[in-house]
Structures are given as C-alpha cells and as structure tokens.
Amino acid sequence: MALINDHYLKLKAGYLFPEIGRRVNKFCEENPSAAVIKLGIGDVTEPLPPAIREAMHAAIDEMGNPETFRGYGPEQGYAFLRDAIAKNDFQSRGVDISADEIFVSDGSKCDTGNILDIFGAENKVAVTDPVYPVYVDTNVMTGRTGEADESGRYAGLTYLPVTAENNFVPALPDSPVDLIYLCYPNNPTGTVATKETLKQWVDYAKANGSIIFFDAAYEAFITDDEIPHSIYEIEGAKEVAIEFRSFSKNAGFTGTRCAFTVVPKELKGKTAAGVTTDIHPLWNRRHCTKFNGVSYIIQKGAEAAYSEQGKQQIQSLIAFYLENARLLREGLESVGISVYGGVNAPYVWLKTPGDASSWDFFDELLQKAHLVGTPGSGFGAAGEGYFRLSAFNSRDNINEAVTRFQNVVR
Ligand code: MLT
C-alpha cells in the first residue's frame, strides 16, 4: 500500500479558518434565522476597483481575438507587471529592486508555503507567536518539526511570543535560527514594525547567516510615514530577506488571485557541503517547474492597480477598511476592552473580556451576538486570551457588529 506523508498527521485539527467555518455553519443550521456577521477570515468585501475591471475586460477581449490571443505566459509574470511592481512598490521608495527579482504568483499564502521547497529540512525555523498559521503548518507538512504539545506548539520550532507585555515586539531568538518568518503589518495582531526593529532583524540575520521571510501582504494599510513598507528599506536587507506581497487585500484580489515574491540576487544560502550558493536561480527553477503563471487577464488587472486611477481607487478602498477598523477599535475601547492594532492594518486585536479563553469568547459572541471573529489561540499559544476582528466588511455590518459587541460585554 502507498505510504502517506506522515507529517500531515501531526497537524492539529483543521486549518483555523475552515474550523471556524464548520462551527459557524453548524450554528447557522441550528439557528437559521440568525443574521450572522462575519469578521473572522480577512476576506475583502468591496468590489474590484473600476480601473482594474476595465483592464480585465480589455484583456478578455484581447483573448477573444486571434491577433492578440495569448497562451502560456512567462512563468515569472509578464514584463509589464514586473516592471510596474519594481517601479511603483520599490524604486519609488528609493529601494533598488529590479523587475527580474520579482516573481508573480497566485498568492502569498501559497508562496510562503512553497518557499520551503528550496531550503533544507535541517534549518532551524523561528516564528512569532501568535502567527499566521500557514507558516507553521507548512513547516509541519514538510517534516521540519516534531509533534505538537498540549498548547499546540511543535517541537523543533522556535516560538517568539508577541503579547501586550512586550508591546508585540518579538525578542531575538536565544539560540541561532536559520529561517525567520516576520509579517508586518502583522497578521493577526495588526501591529507594525519600526525601522529600528527591522534593522535589528536584518543585523541578526547577517550575523547568523539566516534568511528572513518577510510577509508584507498588508503594507498598503500603513498610514504612518515612519513605518517601512518593505524590509528592503533597511540597508543590507537584500542580502538576507525574501519579501512576499499581494494584491489580495489592497486591490481586492482574494478571489481573482495575484501576488508576488521578491528574491534579490544578492541573497545567498549554502549547500550541505558548505558551498555558498545563490537563492534566486533556485526559486526561479522551482517556480518554472511547478507553476505556469498567473492568467494574462488577472495580470492586466494587477497592472491597472498602478495606473493613476487605479492608485486612487485603491486608496479609497484602503481608507474605507481603515475607517472600519477605527470604528471597531473605538467602539470596543468605549466599553473598556483593551484593543491593539487596527491603525496601520485591517485587523483589530483585543484582550478577551473577563479573561475568557479565546474559544469561549468565540462561542459567546456567536451565540449571543451572532458575530464571528477569530480566536487568538488559533494563531498560537501566546494568542490565548486574545481575539481578532477583521475590518473587511460593509460599513453597515461594522456598525451593527460594534453595537452587538457592546451589548454582549456591557
Ligand atoms: C486571515 O484572515 O488571516 C487571512 O485572510 C488569511 C489569508 O490571507 O490567507
């Protein structure tokens, strides 16, 4: 009989969001008249901006014409999109990233998982706690961990707690690690990293020969001029970091799928025999072998995100979701809840009232207010006693959610 990948059996229950979905579906079946408001998964609710839709329509027409029809595109992404990304997201901020260091893909979730393909299984891996669960689960799947303990922490991973006690700034690891996942603006806590904090990590990585996986999927929500949008704004980061970016949360592509990963040419690793090796060609090889590129239509839509109109329309979307975050934050604070994040990020992270456990509070909110959030403990042991609310929803739903939340905790 065929052998399975046993490492999958170490995974705790289901992936967090499907697990929440199961509980919510059960509740809805039992309470069919309940008007449930979902602030759980960070999925956008506003339509694609007009400039993007127009570009997609035009691309569909091109695909319907034999003169302009296209089959396979370049696996790394079309030059028009890679150029637009390099120019607008990096060079405009004084960061020297070139188009051929950008790999267009169908999502940062996939890329942050797939990146492990090109790194040895023996690497020591550090994650913050709480953390976006994909980083941990993909390490488990690829055999880089032992079993989970009672709290859900896997043997072999280095966990760096981020809580109100340390102001959500992870301490540098006590013992050397090779791969470090950082996510800023942070999912789930909605907090950001200053230049000084990122510099510490870049310096650490340089001193220890580590590589940072920097997930910047939420960078468009940064409103504070002092906060870096890219880790490459820190000197020397191109030698030690891979950055993940996405069109999902800024331009509304969670359903249409487009993202990109930056692998600088300066980045090096070493072979088992100790030979220093470039990382860029490895990722290029992996990408070209296992991926056939994002559809032309979607890439044309993503390119339009950088047009003058596209930029303005995206700015309005971001402002809309950030206003939702403000309403959530202030509405919760007004009834005495301790709230974090939600200023430079679409996530509001809160301390559960009365020290309730994260899942108990999830159940209470669902039962009493028909509100769905995400239990902090689902993001890691140090998230216990916290809860995440997503600002991605209609204004009416956000206002209604605040009222219902206040009624439960008052
Ligand atoms: C989240 O809610 O944490 C995100 O939507 C998950 C994701 O982007 O994959």
Side-chain angles (χ1 to χ4, degrees):
M1 191 176 281
L3 294 174
I4 61 153
N5 175 353
D6 275 19
H7 300 303
Y8 275 65
L9 303 181
K10 295 178 199 157
L11 292 165
K12 299 291 282 179
Y15 178 59
L16 176 61
F17 295 107
E19 174 60 27
I20 290 172
R22 265 193 297 281
R23 290 183 186 221
V24 174
N25 289 343
K26 182 165 179 289
F27 175 83
C28 290
E29 272 163 27
E30 289 163 6
N31 303 274
S33 60
V36 172
I37 297 178
K38 295 180 182 169
L39 305 180
I41 190 163
D43 191 5
V44 293
T45 52
E46 297 305 297
L48 288 170
I52 290 177
R53 295 201 308 268
E54 280 158 27
M56 288 180 176
H57 280 298
I60 290 176
D61 289 340
E62 282 185 63
M63 295 298 262
N65 180 339
E67 305 295 316
T68 48
F69 171 78
R70 292 163 190 255
Y72 292 125
E75 290 91 343
Q76 301 90 340
Y78 283 100
F80 62 76
L81 180 55
R82 298 171 90 195
D83 286 343
I85 293 169
K87 180 161 158 262
N88 289 282
D89 282 327
F90 298 101
Q91 291 158 11
S92 71
R93 291 186 185 279
V95 175
D96 176 28
I97 291 289
S98 60
D100 62 355
E101 293 173 305
I102 291 161
F103 294 84
V104 176
S105 77
D106 60 350
S108 290
K109 178 181 183 176
C110 331
D111 282 356
T112 54
N114 292 333
I115 198 75
L116 291 173
D117 273 11
I118 61 167
F119 290 99
E122 302 76 17
N123 284 308
K124 282 203 95 34
V125 177
V127 292
T128 61
D129 178 7
V131 69
Y132 180 44
V134 172
Y135 312 153
V136 171
D137 287 2
T138 52
N139 273 282
V140 177
M141 290 170 174
T142 51
R144 288 171 164 85
T145 73
E147 298 289 339
D149 67 14
E150 290 276 281
S151 72
R153 285 185 164 181
Y154 290 92
L157 285 186
T158 300
Y159 289 89
L160 310 169
V162 280
T163 61
E165 283 67 45
N166 62 8
N167 213 10
F168 301 96
V169 180
L172 297 174
D174 292 338
S175 57
V177 296
D178 307 302
L179 303 175
I180 303 153
Y181 291 83
L182 295 178
C183 173
Y184 289 109
N186 186 252
N187 180 12
T189 65
T191 55
V192 284
T194 60
K195 279 204 172 91
E196 293 67 36
T197 298
L198 289 186
K199 182 175 175 338
Q200 271 194 344
W201 282 104
V202 168
D203 291 348
Y204 174 90
K206 285 175 108 168
N208 290 278
S210 332
I211 290 183
I212 298 169
F213 297 153
F214 191 73
D215 186 347
Y218 298 93
E219 65 75 35
F221 292 85
I222 294 173
T223 50
D224 183 337
D225 289 342
E226 294 302 310
I227 300 296
H229 287 243
S230 164
I231 195 161
Y232 304 123
E233 289 177 49
I234 310 302
E235 207 186 318
K238 285 177 71 181
E239 291 156 46
V240 294
I242 292 176
E243 183 162 303
F244 303 91
R245 292 271 192 111
S246 172
F247 294 95
S248 283
K249 312 293 163 97
N250 58 345
F253 276 55
T254 53
T256 32
R257 314 301 307 150
C258 197
F260 60 93
T261 288
V262 184
V263 185
K265 300 226 177 100
E266 285 94 326
L267 190 69
K268 313 257 187 235
K270 68 171 191 223
T271 66
V275 180
T276 301
T277 305
D278 290 339
I279 302 284
H280 183 276
L282 299 183
W283 183 244
N284 189 50
R285 185 73 166 84
R286 191 264 168 221
H287 202 69
C288 294
T289 300
K290 293 198 181 181
F291 188 62
N292 250 341
V294 173
S295 100
Y296 176 70
I297 297 157
I298 301 301
Q299 291 194 57
K300 284 306 271 185
E303 182 195 25
Y306 298 108
S307 67
E308 277 319 306
Q309 277 187 330
K311 282 182 192 168
Q312 277 169 21
Q313 291 162 6
I314 286 174
Q315 269 319 311
S316 315
L317 276 181
I318 303 274
F320 175 80
Y321 291 128
L322 283 176
E323 173 65 6
N324 283 351
R326 186 188 68 79
L327 290 168
L328 284 171
R329 238 178 36 238
E330 293 182 3
L332 271 48
E333 274 169 349
S334 75
V335 286
I337 303 284
S338 301
V339 180
Y340 312 93
V343 177
N344 294 288
Y347 295 124
V348 169
W349 186 245
L350 56 115
K351 208 66 197 95
T352 56
D355 284 334
S357 81
S358 300
W359 276 109
D360 283 353
F361 189 60
F362 173 91
D363 288 333
E364 187 184 1
L365 263 195
L366 182 58
Q367 298 293 334
K368 294 193 183 154
H370 307 164
L371 272 186
V372 180
T374 309
S377 57
F379 296 101
E384 181 56 276
Y386 289 90
F387 201 76
R388 192 192 79 176
L389 294 176
S390 152
F392 293 113
N393 217 308
S394 67
R395 184 61 46 78
D396 284 351
N397 276 350
I398 293 289
N399 284 327
E400 173 65 18
V402 169
T403 306
R404 291 191 199 171
F405 193 102
Q406 289 172 334
N407 289 338
V408 167
V409 302
R410 262 199 185 111

